[in-house]
């Protein structure tokens, strides 16, 4: 049988190649992921390769002794031109690929030119290699089996090239549409955040596991109705060594019982002094006024002792609450005790807060702050921690000593008490940090730059922008990182500066621009960002433009996520414990 063996051998592979590339491109462009990342891809490719190999075996079987009959006679005497042509097409494909790696080449090259050239050169190269293989195999024994085995590495180029070209086209398609980031990444992030949020909500909503006895006392305490019939049970549960949940809710339920003061107060005092859990001790103290302030007055000396450096904040607060309502003497005792705790490293902030909230002695806190801010010892750090506790109108006393507040900064992070104090001082706090970034006096520049990134830069965006734009070009990598973060947090006013960084020829400045957009979440700039992305994407966009488009898509994705998670975007912007 006289047949064109090369053509019949290559034809199934051409069909397989075209189908594989089309399938990869369709799947990738439709579902926005590389087909080769899916296990099913390898199964389908394997079946396609197997079908092609079976077709090749049948072709060689039909050819019989005419395996090289359809080849040019010149090939039988000199196969070098055929081999040289295979080398030529391989070099041509490599040249087009290398040109495509140039940063100025548009995506069009990757999506259309490279696939077209590679497809043509692939099968011209296979044709050129199969001629010498069939010629050589026809001259030896077992020619058909030899030709089949030797051709396997050649035809292996087909699935490999199909996979490469398919993924190249899909990658170019995805790169040409950076808005797909808003489709792909947020879906994964949202699922994760939703799962975490649901877990947290369930944990918050899930009631504590209470014993049946504690659950009963809880229901009595929260019912708001008299529970005289349970008086004996409540009384029996008030034990200083009793289970935490039982004793806690029994103390809460005292208010609805008809226990006598002569019985209840000694039991509550024993719990106040002897129970190991602070919330139980605090509950016992808050239950005491139920039996009349005259009766509680008799044990006030025991209550005063609860205000000490070893006691927990909630017990101190409960004690101050009760003492403030007993009389002027008890109020003075509590004030004196709390004032002494202002110098305690652990209790100073809590003591200041209780002085203000329960005893209405903000004057003592103001005096402490104004007296100790000018110092350079540990008392200064404690005074700094009290600034946010002051009413807004009183915080101005710290402004003359704002450099001392800056000097007490340890890390510049959002958990740094000095950073919280500067944030509560508003514009003067920002000005002090700006000055440290521009001309460091008491802080190292990286720490000052981090402080700028953590403070509320949106309160004075123009001034913050001027400072951040200067320090983002600093030679120190850490300084650039924090200052670029500040640019991103400023939002829309900083967008032109950020785009200038992205367009810079210096890698360090490009990286700074990208980092700024990682923290950009200003919805007012959304339309401008979308315009910038559109101008720097599409089939004619090159690598430099695509980097800009991708960075802008990161900011748009963050804006979208913040918009879909109001709890993240909201908040008062005030540190915990502040009062206005």
């Amino acid at each position: 049988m006289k047949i064109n063996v090369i053509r019949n051998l290559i034809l199934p592979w051409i069909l397989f190649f075209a189908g594989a590339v089309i399938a990869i491109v369709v799947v990738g462009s439709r579902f926005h992921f590389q087909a080769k990342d899916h296990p099913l891809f390898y199964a389908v490719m394997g079946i396609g390769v197997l079908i092609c190999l079976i077709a090749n075996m049948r072709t060689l079987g039909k050819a019989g002794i005419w395996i090289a009959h359809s080849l040019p006679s010149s090939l039988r005497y000199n196969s070098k031109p055929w081999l040289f042509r295979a080398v030529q097409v391989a070099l041509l494909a490599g040249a087009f690929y290398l040109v495509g790696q140039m940063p100025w080449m548009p995506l069009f090259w990757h999506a259309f030119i490279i696939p077209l050239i590679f497809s043509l050169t692939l099968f011209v190269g296979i044709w050129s290699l199969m001629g010498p293989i069939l010629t050589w195999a026809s001259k030896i024994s077992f020619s058909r089996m030899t030709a089949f085995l030797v051709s396997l590495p050649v035809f292996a180029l087909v699935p490999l090239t199909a996979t490469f070209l398919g993924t190249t086209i899909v990658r170019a398609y995805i790169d040409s549409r950076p808005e797909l980031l808003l489709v792909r990444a947020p879906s994964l992030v949202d699922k994760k955040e939703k799962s975490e949020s649901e877990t947290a909500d369930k944990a918050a909503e899930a009631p504590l596991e209470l014993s049946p006895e504690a659950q009963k006392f809880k229901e009595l305490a929260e019912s708001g109705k008299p529970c005289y019939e349970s008086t004996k049970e409540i009384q029996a549960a008030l034990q200083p060594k009793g289970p935490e949940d039982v004793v806690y809710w029994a103390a809460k339920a005292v208010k609805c019982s008809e226990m006598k003061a002569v019985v209840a107060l000694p039991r509550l005092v024993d719990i106040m002094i002897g129970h190991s859990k602070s919330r139980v001790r605090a509950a016992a103290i808050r239950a005491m006024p139920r039996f009349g302030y005259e009766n509680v007055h008799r044990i006030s000396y025991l209550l005063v002792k609860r205000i000490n450096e070893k006691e927990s904040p909630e017990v101190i607060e409960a004690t101050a609450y009760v003492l403030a309502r007993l009389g002027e003497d008890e109020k003075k005792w509590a004030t004196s005790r709390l004032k002494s705790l202002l110098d305690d490293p652990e209790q100073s902030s809590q003591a200041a807060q209780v002085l203000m909230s329960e005893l209405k002695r903000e004057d003592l806190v103001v005096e402490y702050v104004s007296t100790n801010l000018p110092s350079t010892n540990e008392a200064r750090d404690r005074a700094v921690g009290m600034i946010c506790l002051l009413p807004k109108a009183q915080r101005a006393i710290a402004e003359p000593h704002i450099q001392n507040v800056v000097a007490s900064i340890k890390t510049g992070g959002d958990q740094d008490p000095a950073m919280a104090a500067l944030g509560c001082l508003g514009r003067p706090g920002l000005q002090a940090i700006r000055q440290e970034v521009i001309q460091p006096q008491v802080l190292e520049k990286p720490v000052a730059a981090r402080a700028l990134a953590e403070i509320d830069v949106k309160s004075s965006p123009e001034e913050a922008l001027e400072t951040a734009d200067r320090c983002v070009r600093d030679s120190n990598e850490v300084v650039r990182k924090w200052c670029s973060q500040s640019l991103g947090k400023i939002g829309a006013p900083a967008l032109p500066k950020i785009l200038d960084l992205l367009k810079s020829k210096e890698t360090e400045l490009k990286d700074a621009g990208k980092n700024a957009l990682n923290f950009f979440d200003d919805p007012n700039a959304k339309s401008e960002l979308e315009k910038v992305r559109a101008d720097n994407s599409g089939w004619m966009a090159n690598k430099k433009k695509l980097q800009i488009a991708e960075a802008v898509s990161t900011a748009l994705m963050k804006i979208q996520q913040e918009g879909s998670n109001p709890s993240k975007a909201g908040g008062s912007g005030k540190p915990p414990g502040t009062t206005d």
Side-chain angles (χ1 to χ4, degrees), residues 20 24 34-46 159 162-163 167:
I24 292 173
Q34 301 290 0
K36 66 183 182 65
D37 295 333
H38 200 285
L40 183 61
F41 167 78
Y42 295 101
V44 174
M45 290 289 282
T163 303
T167 54

Side-chain angles (χ1 to χ4, degrees), residues 107-259:
L107 282 176
F108 177 86
W109 192 270
H110 297 271
F112 300 101
I113 302 300
I114 286 181
L116 177 61
I117 296 300
F118 269 56
S119 298
L120 293 174
T121 55
L122 171 66
F123 289 104
V124 170
I126 290 176
W127 190 287
S128 301
L129 290 174
M130 287 305 299
I133 289 174
L134 293 176
T135 300
W136 171 72
S138 66
K139 298 176 181 179
I140 63 176
S141 303
F142 305 105
S143 57
R144 285 171 292 180
M145 182 57 65
T146 302
F148 178 78
L149 293 175
V150 176
S151 65
L152 288 179
V154 176
F155 286 120
L157 294 172
V158 176
L160 294 176
T161 306
T163 303
F164 168 73
L165 294 183
T167 54
T168 298
I169 296 171
V170 172
R171 191 180 302 113
Y173 168 76
I174 293 176
D175 289 345
S176 72
R177 299 183 58 192
E179 69 271 14
L180 291 177
L181 280 173
L182 298 176
V183 178
R184 293 180 295 156
S187 62
L188 298 177
V189 174
D190 289 346
K191 285 180 181 178
K192 180 180 178 182
E193 290 182 347
K194 184 178 180 181
S195 175
E196 293 175 349
S197 175
E198 288 177 351
T199 302
D201 290 343
K202 288 179 181 178
E205 294 174 1
L208 295 175
E209 290 293 332
L210 299 178
S211 65
E213 187 178 9
Q215 183 63 37
K216 179 181 178 180
F217 293 151
K218 181 176 183 292
E219 292 171 359
L220 293 173
E222 294 177 347
S223 68
K225 300 177 182 179
C227 56
Y228 302 147
E229 69 282 357
S230 301
T231 298
K232 290 184 177 180
E233 292 179 63
I234 295 172
Q235 178 178 317
L238 294 175
Q239 300 294 332
K241 303 297 182 182
E244 177 185 354
D245 58 346
V246 172
V247 181
Y248 176 81
W249 286 109
K252 289 280 191 179
V254 160
K255 63 184 179 181
C256 70
S257 70
E258 58 177 358
M259 290 178 66

Side-chain angles (χ1 to χ4, degrees), residues 48 58 80 87 135 218 235-236 304 385 398 418 474 550 575:
R58 293 188 63 184
K80 289 182 180 179
V87 173
T135 300
K218 181 176 183 292
Q235 178 178 317
V304 171
D474 196 271
E550 185 176 349

Side-chain angles (χ1 to χ4, degrees), residues 16-45:
F16 166 76
F17 176 83
V21 172
I22 292 172
I24 292 173
V25 172
V26 170
V27 171
S29 59
R30 175 66 179 83
F31 299 103
H32 312 139
F33 67 86
Q34 301 290 0
K36 66 183 182 65
D37 295 333
H38 200 285
L40 183 61
F41 167 78
Y42 295 101
V44 174
M45 290 289 282

Side-chain angles (χ1 to χ4, degrees), residues 44 84 97 153 156 189 195 263 346 390 565:
V44 174
F84 182 66
Y97 177 77
V189 174
S195 175
V263 175
E346 301 296 329
L390 297 174
N565 292 278

Side-chain angles (χ1 to χ4, degrees), residues 352-353 356 361-370 373 383-398 424-425 577-580:
Q353 190 167 358
M356 295 172 62
R361 293 301 305 271
E362 65 183 48
D363 58 306
L364 294 178
V365 182
V366 170
E367 178 187 354
Y368 188 90
V369 172
S370 59
L373 269 185
V384 167
M386 297 176 191
I387 291 175
C388 287
L389 299 175
L390 297 174
K392 195 171 184 179
Q394 298 285 353
R395 294 173 192 168
I397 63 168
C424 290
L425 290 174
T578 61
T579 54
D580 288 338

Side-chain angles (χ1 to χ4, degrees), residues 446-467:
V447 176
R450 181 180 181 183
L452 180 67
E454 297 291 356
I455 204 167
D456 181 18
V457 290
K458 290 185 177 180
S459 60
S460 299
E462 293 182 1
E463 297 170 337
L465 176 57
E466 178 187 353
T467 304

